[in-house]
Amino acid sequence: TETNMIRKIIIFVFISLVFLVTCNSNDNHIKEISDFSLIDLNPNSPTFNKKIGPSYFKGNITGYYFGDAGWGLCRSRFGSLDKLYNELLKDGLNINFIGINGISTKDRDYNGMISGRSLPWVQDNEDSRVWESWDVVIRDLILLDKSGHYFDMFNLTDFDISKDSNYQLLKEKLINNSK
């Protein structure tokens, strides 16, 4: 009957919506953040040659950018994060960003990634396996609050922060979570 058909459609739509919300929820992207300690390779960074990771930056909002040192798009996005970092620092906000090169791209030259930039750049390794344990893909930006807990994620492939509207949205989210 027509009533049964409408009931089935409503149930189908409801189940579909629940599935979509569950699959797209940022809160489900990472269940637990594992700590790591990797050496900062950027001589322009204030943490150069220090072992850094989530516990090192506890007490500050921190963004972890998962990039490939050899890709132009990754370098561009990292450059935008460096600009944002310096802008926030001038505003008196100590919000950090750390770039993490993947194990599979460890042999790529990272000098183009760090040249003229002050953000830390670290190399993931077989012992830490940060990319794997955090379940990320290339150009993910994972944001941790002052306690070191996950609060948001952006993939900078589609969320281009060189566009002013996206840049401002990310900046506002960081500022709001730093209060």
Side-chain angles (χ1 to χ4, degrees):
T1 67
E2 190 174 335
T3 306
N4 282 340
M5 183 59 122
I6 291 172
R7 203 175 281 149
K8 286 178 182 179
I9 291 171
I10 290 171
I11 291 171
F12 174 77
V13 169
F14 176 76
I15 290 171
S16 298
L17 287 173
V18 168
F19 176 78
L20 286 173
V21 168
T22 303
C23 289
N24 290 326
S25 171
N26 281 339
D27 293 337
N28 291 331
H29 181 74
I30 296 179
K31 292 180 177 32
E32 188 175 322
I33 297 296
S34 60
D35 198 12
F36 63 85
S37 186
L38 297 169
I39 296 173
D40 180 3
L41 304 171
N42 186 356
N44 305 312
S45 165
T47 56
F48 176 59
N49 261 345
K50 292 182 182 174
K51 286 187 170 190
I52 58 173
S55 60
Y56 183 89
F57 291 103
K58 204 165 190 178
N60 295 311
I61 302 283
T62 310
Y64 294 85
Y65 175 69
F66 294 83
D68 177 337
W71 283 20
L73 186 57
C74 290
R75 290 177 179 183
S76 170
R77 299 300 194 264
F78 196 60
S80 294
L81 289 173
D82 190 69
K83 175 185 168 193
L84 179 57
Y85 165 77
N86 286 303
E87 192 175 306
L88 292 167
L89 200 57
K90 285 179 187 172
D91 292 342
L93 296 169
N94 190 13
I95 296 174
N96 299 287
F97 295 99
I98 294 91
I100 305 172
N101 200 45
I103 295 171
S104 65
T105 59
K106 67 181 177 192
D107 294 329
R108 303 234 177 138
D109 181 16
Y110 60 84
N111 288 312
M113 185 64 86
I114 62 172
S115 180
R117 297 183 178 136
S118 55
L119 296 180
W121 184 256
V122 299
Q123 175 61 59
D124 198 4
N125 59 40
E126 296 291 335
D127 293 331
S128 297
R129 297 191 161 283
V130 180
W131 280 57
E132 186 178 308
S133 65
W134 286 30
D135 191 27
V136 296
V137 297
I138 194 159
R139 288 186 280 286
D140 273 354
L141 174 66
I142 305 297
L143 302 177
L144 303 186
D145 65 17
K146 292 178 181 183
S147 299
H149 298 111
Y150 168 88
F151 75 86
D152 213 338
M153 186 278 290
F154 296 88
N155 184 278
L156 302 186
T157 301
D158 296 321
F159 189 79
D160 181 356
I161 58 173
S162 67
K163 292 181 181 176
D164 191 56
S165 59
N166 290 346
Y167 183 91
Q168 292 304 322
L169 180 71
L170 177 58
K171 183 179 178 181
E172 287 173 26
K173 181 165 280 286
L174 291 164
I175 291 170
N176 290 338
N177 279 282
S178 70
K179 295 177 182 176

